[in-house]
Amino acid sequence: MFKRKFYIPDNKIPKKWYNIASDLPEALPAVLHPLTRVPITPEDLSPLFPMEIIKQEVSTERFIDIPEPVLDVYSLSRPSPLIRAYNLEKALDTPAKIYYKYEGVNPAGSHKVNTAVAQAFYNKSEGIKRLTTETGAGQWGSALSFAGALFNLEIDVYMVRVSYNQKPYRRALIESYGGTVTASPSSRTEAGRKILAENPNNSGSLGIAISEAVEMAVQRDDTKYSLGSVLNHVLLHQTIIGNEALIQFDLADDYPDIVIACAGGGSNFGGFAFPFIGEMLRGGKSVKSIAVEPFACPTLTKGVYEYDYGDTAHLTPLMKMYTLGNGFIPSSIHAGGLRYHGMSPIISLLKKLNLIDAVSQKQVDCFEAGIKFARTEGILPAPESTHAIKTAIDEALKCKEEGISRTIAFNLSGHGHFDMSAYSDYLNGNMSNND
Ligand SMILES: *Cc1c(COP(=O)(O)O)cnc(C)c1O
C-alpha cells in the first residue's frame, strides 16, 4: 500500500509563524504616507490596525509565536493534510511526483481563516468592537465573519458588486456567520458615491471596496480595518501552511523541487512558499517557486514595479510593488480572489530579485484542469486554486517530455462548492476564451 496522506503528530504541530523579512537579501522599500509621500510611522497606521499587528508588519524577527487562543481555533481544522495526488499522476502518465496541501478543510473553505483568526484575536485584545473589510469572491468576508463570531466582533463587509451578484450563496455564508454585506461601490461612503456618480453601473473592484472599508474604519474609535492579503502580517499568518508542509515532507521522506500557488494579493502563495524559500535563502535546499495569476489580471507578469496605492481612492499608504495601476478593473473572471491590481511588496521584491517565477493562465484552461482534478482526486477546487493545478499539470507534463521525475507541490487554497455557477458556465460552454 502506498502512503497517500501525511499527518503531523500533536507534539510536532508548529507553534510559530515564519517571518521571511528576517532572511531577505535586501531590506523592503519603505511604505509611504498617501499625502506626504514620506515613510509612514506606526502612529500613521494606528487608526487602521491594532499595535500588535503594526509591530508584525515591520518585524524582522525570524519566528513569531502564535498566541494560544489562535492555536486553539487553528486546531478545529489544522494541521491541514498534505496529499500525494497518485490518481492525477497516473492520469497524466508522468514520472513526476505531485503533492498538494489542502486548505479547503478550513472553516469557510479556504486558507483565509488562518489570518482572519489572528487578526480578530489581536483586535479583540486591544478593545476593538467592529472590523470593516472588503471581499472579492466572498472567501475573505466569510473567513473574517467566522473569526468575528468566535471573538465577538461585528464584521462589516464591502463586497465587489460583480461577485455580490454572481455569488449569492457566499453572501448568505457571510450572513450566516453574523457578518453584514454591502455591494461595492455603495452609497454608504464618499468614495463609493463618487464612483457611482461617474458610472452607476460600475461593477466594482477590490481597489474600490478597500477604499470604502478604510473610509468606514477611520470614522469610529471602536472600529478598525482588516485586510485579507497583500500586507506583511497577513502573509506571516499564512506561513502556518508552509511550516506544516515542511514537517509533512519530512514524514514523506521527500522534498519539493517546485512549489506552486495562485496569487491574487499573494497571501496563499507566500504562506505556502515562504518557509521553503527561507530554507533556500539560509543556504538549504533550493526550490523553484511559481506564483500563478490569471491572464485577465497579470500583475507579476505584465505589471510594473513601482510605488502605487493599495486602493482606488488613494486612502491607503503607497507600497512599492508590481501593479497594473490602482484604477485597473479586470474582466469579470470567476476567480474573484485573484482580481487585484497590486501584489504583496515581499513577493514583488522576491520577483524583482529573480528568486521566484511567475506565470499567467487563461480561465478556460484553468477550469479544464480543475475538472481533471475533480475527476481524479475528487475535490472540486475553487476557481482561484485551479490556476495552481493547471501549472502543476504543465510542470508534470514537462517532466514526462524530458523523461525526468521532479517533486511538484501545490497549494489547493480552497474548495469550489460555492462556485457552481462558474462550473456550470464552463461545462455549458459559456466561458470566453479571451480571459
Ligand atoms: C483569496 C483566495 C486566493 C488568492 O488570494 P491571495 O491573496 O493571493 O492568497 C486564492 N484561493 C482562494 C480559494 C482564495 O479564497
Side-chain angles (χ1 to χ4, degrees):
M1 239 308 257
F2 45 63
K3 203 155 157 45
R4 212 188 267 276
K5 296 202 278 316
F6 300 91
Y7 292 110
I8 302 179
D10 281 352
N11 64 354
K12 286 202 173 158
I13 288 175
K15 294 197 162 58
K16 290 175 196 291
W17 292 303
Y18 166 61
N19 181 11
I20 198 170
S22 63
D23 290 317
L24 290 175
E26 262 179 37
L28 284 166
V31 173
L32 308 182
H33 191 282
L35 300 175
T36 61
R37 289 189 165 243
V38 299
I40 52 162
T41 62
E43 290 67 43
D44 292 329
L45 289 176
S46 63
L48 293 181
F49 303 110
M51 225 6 112
E52 204 54 39
I53 281 184
I54 295 171
K55 278 193 214 151
Q56 291 180 349
E57 193 59 24
V58 296
S59 168
T60 50
E61 242 175 277
R62 182 167 290 147
F63 293 103
I64 294 180
D65 286 332
I66 306 174
E68 207 52 53
V70 174
L71 282 172
D72 188 52
V73 182
Y74 278 2
S75 75
L76 290 172
S77 55
R78 310 209 67 85
S80 71
L82 180 77
I83 302 172
R84 174 94 183 260
Y86 282 107
N87 295 356
L88 179 63
E89 289 172 18
K90 208 166 147 210
L92 298 172
D93 188 26
T94 172
K97 292 188 271 180
I98 307 175
Y99 296 81
Y100 64 97
K101 180 90 168 142
Y102 185 41
E103 289 295 305
V105 296
N106 290 313
S110 79
H111 70 292
K112 292 216 167 67
V113 79
N114 298 327
T115 184
V117 170
Q119 294 191 45
F121 167 76
Y122 290 121
N123 275 287
K124 186 68 183 183
S125 307
E126 296 185 28
I128 293 307
K129 301 215 157 34
R130 177 167 166 263
L131 292 176
T132 64
T133 197
E134 73 295 324
T135 197
Q139 283 113 332
W140 171 241
S142 49
L144 192 65
S145 295
F146 163 72
L150 286 183
F151 289 97
N152 200 14
L153 291 162
E154 273 176 57
I155 308 294
D156 188 10
V157 182
Y158 292 82
M159 185 168 185
V160 177
R161 186 174 295 276
V162 53
S163 300
Y164 183 93
N165 294 330
Q166 268 177 356
K167 300 183 195 267
Y169 296 124
R170 274 277 164 201
R171 256 153 65 195
L173 184 63
I174 295 171
E175 288 163 355
S176 301
Y177 284 130
T180 53
V181 191
T182 305
S184 166
S186 80
S187 53
R188 287 179 71 189
T189 65
E190 192 68 40
R193 286 190 292 272
K194 209 169 141 196
I195 285 162
L196 288 173
E198 284 162 19
N199 175 11
N201 298 321
N202 190 305
S203 61
S205 72
L206 280 169
I208 295 170
I210 292 172
S211 297
E212 293 204 271
V214 165
E215 186 182 324
M216 291 303 272
V218 296
Q219 286 171 12
R220 270 169 55 174
D221 284 346
D222 67 352
T223 302
K224 292 214 187 287
Y225 166 69
S226 175
L227 186 62
S229 191
V230 185
L231 298 180
N232 303 345
H233 68 271
V234 181
L235 276 67
L236 171 78
H237 301 153
Q238 291 295 355
T239 59
I240 186 67
I241 305 171
N243 285 344
E244 287 176 4
L246 275 172
I247 298 169
Q248 287 163 311
F249 271 105
D250 230 20
L251 297 171
D253 202 14
D254 206 342
Y255 196 85
D257 299 298
I258 306 174
V259 296
I260 299 168
C262 63
S267 78
N268 113 88
F269 174 80
F272 185 51
F274 283 1
F276 293 97
I277 297 171
E279 294 283 318
M280 177 172 75
L281 294 174
R282 294 193 300 277
K285 289 189 187 126
S286 83
V287 71
K288 172 174 163 162
S289 332
I290 311 175
V292 192
E293 47 191 20
F295 181 78
C297 193
T299 315
L300 284 167
T301 49
K302 296 240 176 72
V304 285
Y305 186 54
E306 65 182 21
Y307 274 101
D308 195 8
Y309 298 92
D311 72 322
T312 306
H314 302 180
L315 302 176
T316 73
L318 289 145
M319 292 173 293
K320 187 142 186 198
M321 59 184 176
Y322 278 92
T323 176
L324 295 163
N326 59 70
F328 181 78
I329 299 197
S331 62
S332 305
I333 53 166
H334 290 284
L338 304 182
R339 295 175 76 245
Y340 186 59
H341 68 272
M343 182 56 65
S344 140
I346 300 179
I347 292 175
S348 296
L349 180 62
L350 289 169
K351 174 71 174 50
K352 187 74 195 161
L353 296 174
N354 280 320
L355 290 165
I356 62 167
D357 292 351
V359 297
S360 73
Q361 298 283 9
K362 288 202 157 186
Q363 172 162 256
V364 170
D365 299 336
C366 292
F367 273 87
E368 186 189 356
I371 291 284
K372 186 180 249 338
F373 190 76
R375 291 181 187 174
T376 50
E377 296 294 324
I379 296 167
L380 191 75
E384 290 83 1
S385 316
T386 61
H387 291 72
I389 298 173
K390 164 70 174 132
T391 305
I393 291 176
D394 287 351
E395 290 294 328
L397 293 177
K398 260 187 234 166
C399 289
K400 181 174 169 178
E401 238 169 66
E402 296 168 23
I404 22 175
S405 172
R406 291 192 191 95
T407 297
I408 300 168
F410 69 89
N411 196 31
L412 185 52
S413 48
H415 68 65
H417 298 175
F418 290 95
D419 302 284
M420 298 319 298
S421 69
Y423 278 97
S424 294
D425 281 354
Y426 172 74
L427 293 167
N428 297 329
N430 293 330
M431 196 172 273
S432 148
N433 216 353
N434 301 327
D435 293 329

